[in-house]
Amino acid sequence: MRLPSPFPDELLLGRLIRHVTVSGETAGALAKRVFGSNRASIHPFLTAGLRSLADSSQEDAEVLLFQQTLAPLFFFYLPSHAERLQTLVLADEGAKALRESQLPSFGAGSSVCLKWCPLCATHDLREFGVTYWHRSHQIPGITACFKHPVLLQRVELERRQRLIASLLPTCNGYPRPASGIESRVAAFGQNLLVRLGADLPQIEFTTTYRHRLRELGFITIGNQVRRQHLLQRFAVEVEQYRPGPDVPLLRSRDDYRYISELLEHGGSHHPFRHLLFGTWLFHEPEKLLDYKPSQAKPLSIKDGTGERLALEQRCLRLLREGRSMAEVYRLTGKSRCYLKRLAIRQGVPLNLKPRELISDLQQRIIRMARAGTHRKAISERCGIGIGSVEQVIASEPGLVARRKQCHWESKRRRCRVRIARYRQRHPDGIRQVIKKDCNAEFFWLYGNDREWLQQALPPPKAATGRSR
């Protein structure tokens, strides 16, 4: 038996489907001849019986295993199960291989489907004359195409019969756009799969993750993980990822176990969890595979200072790269107001609409703010919103502190004048009466200018008891 020649990134099951489609041989007859039973259940991306299939098709079983299935991804992320899983996949032990892959334990072994990208199907039809199933699209949890920023379409397969003639991707359907995080995880998974096909390195993920987190300032000097800050940043990054039956995402923004389990030694986790976390930590699989811990001293985050500085520098770098404020918000979790104030303070140009807050207007706002003009009056005179006025004021070093000091001194003058005028109108008033009639001013001065208050009040009178 000669199978059709494989296309780039083609799934092994897809080659078998093309064979029964073109040759006319039934799926039962093929399964009986190759796998020994016409009721054999062929898994889409962990196809077992590769040695007998390779002997029948005169091909190399290792090539089928590492180039046309997703087994290398499971070998890489489940090293404690890799040796036995490889043995079972090469042998005709499909059920045992599926259990060894831990997919049923992860809650993702019951539903089996094939996924495809309509834009890739159109390209394949034009380039090769036929559509086919891409291996990288079948990675569990992946919802976007690694080449096009669109969502994958999916078809559910029956529990046993998965070798169906003419079951090929279609070009129909309206491509829906994928989010940035979905596209990045898909590209990370595809590039990693290509690298694993050539070489299968051994990585201690817990140690690697901890070293990388230490460099980013998420681990203390005492080797404790700052889980709250870490989960907050990670949740903001992945919140745009769409849920699905085979997508193990965070249950909530308080799901600390999601990350804590990845940082514990000896654990086995769904490959998608590693892909999602690795994409956020390393951005590219080459950085993960070739990672060497830095000898530099980790960031000091005493009282959050180091982390704030690192986050501020990251925001500035993204803004200088021309990223939109919405994208920078998704990557860093910082609000648009914070980003605008940071950009104005550091002189980073922003391409915003409307463009009313030009440099001359900013200088005018700063001059009026230094003169003590109220922000509402500045807003009315300049014709912009109060929020924009506050951003300009906050971006000027020392201006906020100066205005606070002016406000405090103005308040003190008002309270002093109120007490002084009351004493002029009531020269015989005693302290108790002044405190009652000028209650607010009395207690503000008592807390902020007590020395002046004691001098301005009439001298206390001695209490008189009852006459006998």
Side-chain angles (χ1 to χ4, degrees), residues 431 442 445-446 449-460:
R431 292 191 171 201
F442 181 92
L445 290 170
Y446 186 83
D449 196 8
R450 189 177 304 181
E451 183 179 354
W452 182 92
L453 181 64
Q454 294 295 341
Q455 295 176 0
L457 292 176

mmCIF file of all heavy atoms in Angstrom, residues 431 442 445-446 449-460:
data_model
loop_
_atom_site.group_PDB
_atom_site.id
_atom_site.type_symbol
_atom_site.label_atom_id
_atom_site.label_comp_id
_atom_site.label_asym_id
_atom_site.label_seq_id
_atom_site.Cartn_x
_atom_site.Cartn_y
_atom_site.Cartn_z
ATOM 1 N N ARG A 431 -14.600 80.826 74.427
ATOM 2 C CA ARG A 431 -14.130 79.764 73.545
ATOM 3 C C ARG A 431 -15.220 78.758 73.193
ATOM 4 O O ARG A 431 -15.315 78.288 72.057
ATOM 5 C CB ARG A 431 -12.948 79.031 74.199
ATOM 6 C CG ARG A 431 -11.692 79.863 74.313
ATOM 7 C CD ARG A 431 -10.518 79.010 74.704
ATOM 8 N NE ARG A 431 -9.268 79.746 74.626
ATOM 9 C CZ ARG A 431 -8.076 79.195 74.517
ATOM 10 N NH1 ARG A 431 -7.975 77.864 74.480
ATOM 11 N NH2 ARG A 431 -6.979 79.931 74.463
ATOM 12 N N PHE A 442 -13.004 75.902 63.379
ATOM 13 C CA PHE A 442 -12.323 75.685 64.652
ATOM 14 C C PHE A 442 -11.543 74.371 64.631
ATOM 15 O O PHE A 442 -10.349 74.322 64.958
ATOM 16 C CB PHE A 442 -13.350 75.675 65.796
ATOM 17 C CG PHE A 442 -12.745 75.472 67.154
ATOM 18 C CD1 PHE A 442 -12.373 76.562 67.935
ATOM 19 C CD2 PHE A 442 -12.547 74.199 67.659
ATOM 20 C CE1 PHE A 442 -11.814 76.370 69.187
ATOM 21 C CE2 PHE A 442 -11.989 74.000 68.908
ATOM 22 C CZ PHE A 442 -11.617 75.091 69.675
ATOM 23 N N LEU A 445 -8.519 74.235 62.065
ATOM 24 C CA LEU A 445 -7.353 74.917 62.618
ATOM 25 C C LEU A 445 -6.767 74.153 63.804
ATOM 26 O O LEU A 445 -5.550 74.140 64.010
ATOM 27 C CB LEU A 445 -7.740 76.333 63.051
ATOM 28 C CG LEU A 445 -8.047 77.307 61.910
ATOM 29 C CD1 LEU A 445 -8.649 78.592 62.470
ATOM 30 C CD2 LEU A 445 -6.792 77.619 61.103
ATOM 31 N N TYR A 446 -7.631 73.511 64.579
ATOM 32 C CA TYR A 446 -7.141 72.736 65.724
ATOM 33 C C TYR A 446 -6.247 71.576 65.258
ATOM 34 O O TYR A 446 -5.270 71.234 65.910
ATOM 35 C CB TYR A 446 -8.333 72.192 66.528
ATOM 36 C CG TYR A 446 -7.937 71.499 67.799
ATOM 37 C CD1 TYR A 446 -7.681 72.233 68.960
ATOM 38 C CD2 TYR A 446 -7.821 70.115 67.850
ATOM 39 C CE1 TYR A 446 -7.313 71.596 70.136
ATOM 40 C CE2 TYR A 446 -7.455 69.457 69.017
ATOM 41 C CZ TYR A 446 -7.197 70.223 70.161
ATOM 42 O OH TYR A 446 -6.817 69.583 71.332
ATOM 43 N N ASP A 449 -3.416 74.033 62.377
ATOM 44 C CA ASP A 449 -2.738 75.286 62.734
ATOM 45 C C ASP A 449 -3.075 75.634 64.184
ATOM 46 O O ASP A 449 -3.590 76.715 64.499
ATOM 47 C CB ASP A 449 -3.195 76.399 61.781
ATOM 48 C CG ASP A 449 -2.264 77.602 61.836
ATOM 49 O OD1 ASP A 449 -1.203 77.510 62.481
ATOM 50 O OD2 ASP A 449 -2.600 78.628 61.229
ATOM 51 N N ARG A 450 -2.776 74.722 65.084
ATOM 52 C CA ARG A 450 -3.222 74.856 66.468
ATOM 53 C C ARG A 450 -2.552 76.036 67.172
ATOM 54 O O ARG A 450 -3.173 76.715 68.002
ATOM 55 C CB ARG A 450 -2.934 73.557 67.224
ATOM 56 C CG ARG A 450 -3.554 73.518 68.619
ATOM 57 C CD ARG A 450 -3.302 72.184 69.287
ATOM 58 N NE ARG A 450 -3.794 71.077 68.482
ATOM 59 C CZ ARG A 450 -3.717 69.788 68.854
ATOM 60 N NH1 ARG A 450 -3.144 69.486 70.028
ATOM 61 N NH2 ARG A 450 -4.169 68.838 68.083
ATOM 62 N N GLU A 451 -1.315 76.315 66.845
ATOM 63 C CA GLU A 451 -0.615 77.410 67.517
ATOM 64 C C GLU A 451 -1.295 78.742 67.253
ATOM 65 O O GLU A 451 -1.515 79.547 68.168
ATOM 66 C CB GLU A 451 0.842 77.447 67.044
ATOM 67 C CG GLU A 451 1.680 78.510 67.747
ATOM 68 C CD GLU A 451 3.114 78.497 67.285
ATOM 69 O OE1 GLU A 451 3.481 77.578 66.505
ATOM 70 O OE2 GLU A 451 3.881 79.394 67.685
ATOM 71 N N TRP A 452 -1.655 79.013 65.988
ATOM 72 C CA TRP A 452 -2.353 80.265 65.685
ATOM 73 C C TRP A 452 -3.706 80.309 66.368
ATOM 74 O O TRP A 452 -4.136 81.360 66.878
ATOM 75 C CB TRP A 452 -2.528 80.404 64.179
ATOM 76 C CG TRP A 452 -3.202 81.684 63.775
ATOM 77 C CD1 TRP A 452 -2.596 82.862 63.456
ATOM 78 C CD2 TRP A 452 -4.608 81.921 63.686
ATOM 79 N NE1 TRP A 452 -3.533 83.821 63.165
ATOM 80 C CE2 TRP A 452 -4.798 83.265 63.311
ATOM 81 C CE3 TRP A 452 -5.744 81.137 63.897
ATOM 82 C CZ2 TRP A 452 -6.045 83.842 63.119
ATOM 83 C CZ3 TRP A 452 -6.996 81.702 63.715
ATOM 84 C CH2 TRP A 452 -7.147 83.047 63.331
ATOM 85 N N LEU A 453 -4.407 79.185 66.399
ATOM 86 C CA LEU A 453 -5.730 79.143 67.014
ATOM 87 C C LEU A 453 -5.656 79.488 68.500
ATOM 88 O O LEU A 453 -6.504 80.252 69.012
ATOM 89 C CB LEU A 453 -6.345 77.748 66.812
ATOM 90 C CG LEU A 453 -7.749 77.546 67.387
ATOM 91 C CD1 LEU A 453 -8.754 78.461 66.687
ATOM 92 C CD2 LEU A 453 -8.187 76.090 67.268
ATOM 93 N N GLN A 454 -4.665 78.964 69.190
ATOM 94 C CA GLN A 454 -4.547 79.256 70.616
ATOM 95 C C GLN A 454 -4.284 80.745 70.869
ATOM 96 O O GLN A 454 -4.768 81.322 71.857
ATOM 97 C CB GLN A 454 -3.416 78.418 71.224
ATOM 98 C CG GLN A 454 -3.683 76.920 71.219
ATOM 99 C CD GLN A 454 -4.864 76.525 72.093
ATOM 100 O OE1 GLN A 454 -5.300 77.268 72.983
ATOM 101 N NE2 GLN A 454 -5.414 75.344 71.824
ATOM 102 N N GLN A 455 -3.549 81.372 69.958
ATOM 103 C CA GLN A 455 -3.280 82.797 70.128
ATOM 104 C C GLN A 455 -4.477 83.656 69.756
ATOM 105 O O GLN A 455 -4.691 84.742 70.326
ATOM 106 C CB GLN A 455 -2.070 83.199 69.271
ATOM 107 C CG GLN A 455 -0.765 82.540 69.690
ATOM 108 C CD GLN A 455 0.372 82.896 68.760
ATOM 109 O OE1 GLN A 455 0.175 83.642 67.796
ATOM 110 N NE2 GLN A 455 1.571 82.378 69.055
ATOM 111 N N ALA A 456 -5.283 83.206 68.790
ATOM 112 C CA ALA A 456 -6.415 84.012 68.330
ATOM 113 C C ALA A 456 -7.622 83.910 69.253
ATOM 114 O O ALA A 456 -8.442 84.827 69.320
ATOM 115 C CB ALA A 456 -6.809 83.587 66.913
ATOM 116 N N LEU A 457 -7.775 82.817 69.979
ATOM 117 C CA LEU A 457 -8.934 82.645 70.855
ATOM 118 C C LEU A 457 -8.763 83.478 72.119
ATOM 119 O O LEU A 457 -7.642 83.774 72.556
ATOM 120 C CB LEU A 457 -9.093 81.163 71.214
ATOM 121 C CG LEU A 457 -9.508 80.227 70.075
ATOM 122 C CD1 LEU A 457 -9.526 78.780 70.571
ATOM 123 C CD2 LEU A 457 -10.879 80.602 69.522
ATOM 124 N N PRO A 458 -9.881 83.874 72.729
ATOM 125 C CA PRO A 458 -9.795 84.611 74.002
ATOM 126 C C PRO A 458 -9.203 83.705 75.078
ATOM 127 O O PRO A 458 -9.303 82.473 75.000
ATOM 128 C CB PRO A 458 -11.249 84.968 74.303
ATOM 129 C CG PRO A 458 -12.049 83.963 73.569
ATOM 130 C CD PRO A 458 -11.288 83.666 72.323
ATOM 131 N N PRO A 459 -8.584 84.298 76.076
ATOM 132 C CA PRO A 459 -8.002 83.460 77.135
ATOM 133 C C PRO A 459 -9.092 82.682 77.854
ATOM 134 O O PRO A 459 -10.220 83.168 78.023
ATOM 135 C CB PRO A 459 -7.339 84.484 78.070
ATOM 136 C CG PRO A 459 -7.988 85.778 77.761
ATOM 137 C CD PRO A 459 -8.378 85.740 76.322
ATOM 138 N N PRO A 460 -8.813 81.470 78.220
ATOM 139 C CA PRO A 460 -9.853 80.665 78.891
ATOM 140 C C PRO A 460 -10.199 81.235 80.253
ATOM 141 O O PRO A 460 -9.349 81.798 80.954
ATOM 142 C CB PRO A 460 -9.182 79.280 79.025
ATOM 143 C CG PRO A 460 -7.726 79.558 78.975
ATOM 144 C CD PRO A 460 -7.531 80.724 78.091
#
